[in-house]
Amino acid sequence: MNQGSNNRRLSGRPTTYPILLAVLGTLATNSVLVAQEPNKVDYGDAITQFRQVVDEELQRGILTGVSVGLVDGQTPILIDGFGFANKERNIPADATTIYRVGSISKLFSAVSVMQLIEKDKLDLDRPITDVLPEFRIANPFPDAKEVTLRQLMCHRSGLVRESPIGGYLDPNEPSVEASIQSLAGCALVNPPSSKTRYSNIGVTVVGQAVAAASQQAFSDYQQEHLLGPLGMAHSAWRMNDRLRDKLAAGYMRVADNEGGFYHTQA
């Protein structure tokens, strides 16, 4: 969806490592796909009701556009776009519109870690400094153990939500290295494993561990070991000319001073 978090830009956003772009259109052509084979079930009424639900949701004004894929088992039933990919340019969303997927990219970081654990290149429960000796953050809890990959992936590391450099609203697009280095001036909010506390920079550290353990740039690792094998030809971790024209504009819903809301491009 082009309404939501982490959709201001692709490259350089370190809060969830470089943001992944994905497209539902990998399952379809430029036109709407409605399948009735091979089980010959009549989905007509269900599809009609579904379209009504999506239209009603768009009328609420929270979303500006969305592309949806419905499947029955492994059979695509409906893949279509609703609303706008770009309101200002009057471009409708369709089956091949590409969206920044925001924090869903955290799942790809986690899969990468588990792949490297299977190859004995990472360990979930060793201190993160074993693979990233440059990682530093003040620990004000005398009896607390060091931060581990498992804690970072489960949001139980005690890290702050955002780093001072490269945080969620930082428009400067610093490097991942600079974002992680800025943690040296921070302290753990709570002892590791004591509390679940969402942390974007924590998953950035996870991504950097993947890069260090694999000795590949994170985006290269993703392309070679996840996106490529999965056949996700219309997805990428960094913007390129092939994807640019199909990328939906990102919108943020902002409160006005009259009790309402308006959308602004993010």
Side-chain angles (χ1 to χ4, degrees), residues 44-217:
D45 289 344
I47 290 174
T48 298
Q49 293 179 40
F50 177 78
R51 290 183 181 278
Q52 291 174 348
V53 170
V54 175
D55 288 339
E56 290 171 2
E57 188 66 30
L58 290 173
Q59 290 301 316
R60 294 177 60 202
I62 298 175
L63 304 178
T64 55
V66 62
S67 297
V68 177
L70 298 180
V71 297
D72 183 354
Q74 297 299 313
T75 303
I77 304 305
L78 171 70
I79 299 177
D80 198 4
F82 302 83
F84 291 95
N86 189 305
K87 292 174 62 178
E88 288 72 23
R89 296 169 60 189
N90 201 35
I91 299 175
D94 63 24
T96 62
T97 300
I98 295 174
Y99 301 86
R100 296 175 174 89
V101 300
S103 287
I104 295 174
S105 57
K106 290 179 170 65
L107 301 177
F108 286 76
S109 298
V111 171
S112 302
V113 168
M114 300 311 293
Q115 287 179 337
L116 291 167
I117 286 173
E118 290 178 343
K119 297 177 180 178
D120 293 325
K121 293 185 176 181
L122 285 174
D123 187 321
L124 279 177
D125 297 310
R126 295 291 299 168
I128 188 64
T129 49
D130 282 6
V131 64
L132 290 179
E134 66 271 24
F135 174 79
R136 293 286 184 275
I137 189 167
N139 186 345
F141 307 102
D143 298 327
K145 296 182 179 180
E146 294 187 65
V147 174
T148 66
L149 265 175
R150 186 188 300 273
Q151 294 160 352
L152 290 164
M153 292 166 65
C154 295
H155 298 280
R156 292 180 63 82
S157 65
L159 261 67
V160 293
R161 180 185 175 103
E162 311 292 340
S163 55
I165 293 176
Y168 188 77
L169 297 177
D170 186 343
N172 297 315
E173 301 193 19
S175 67
V176 169
E177 291 79 7
S179 297
I180 293 176
Q181 288 171 6
S182 72
L183 287 173
C186 300
L188 294 179
V189 183
N190 51 264
S193 294
S194 65
K195 185 176 182 179
T196 301
R197 183 182 297 276
Y198 193 89
S199 174
N200 278 322
I201 187 60
V203 183
T204 299
V205 176
V206 170
Q208 192 72 341
V210 169
S214 66
Q215 297 186 330
Q216 284 185 279

Side-chain angles (χ1 to χ4, degrees), residues 2-4 7-8 64 87-88 249-255 261-266:
N2 56 332
Q3 169 71 25
N7 54 10
R8 293 181 64 188
T64 55
K87 292 174 62 178
E88 288 72 23
Y251 293 94
M252 184 174 291
R253 189 169 179 251
V254 181
F261 296 87
Y262 64 94
H263 284 133
T264 181
Q265 279 207 36

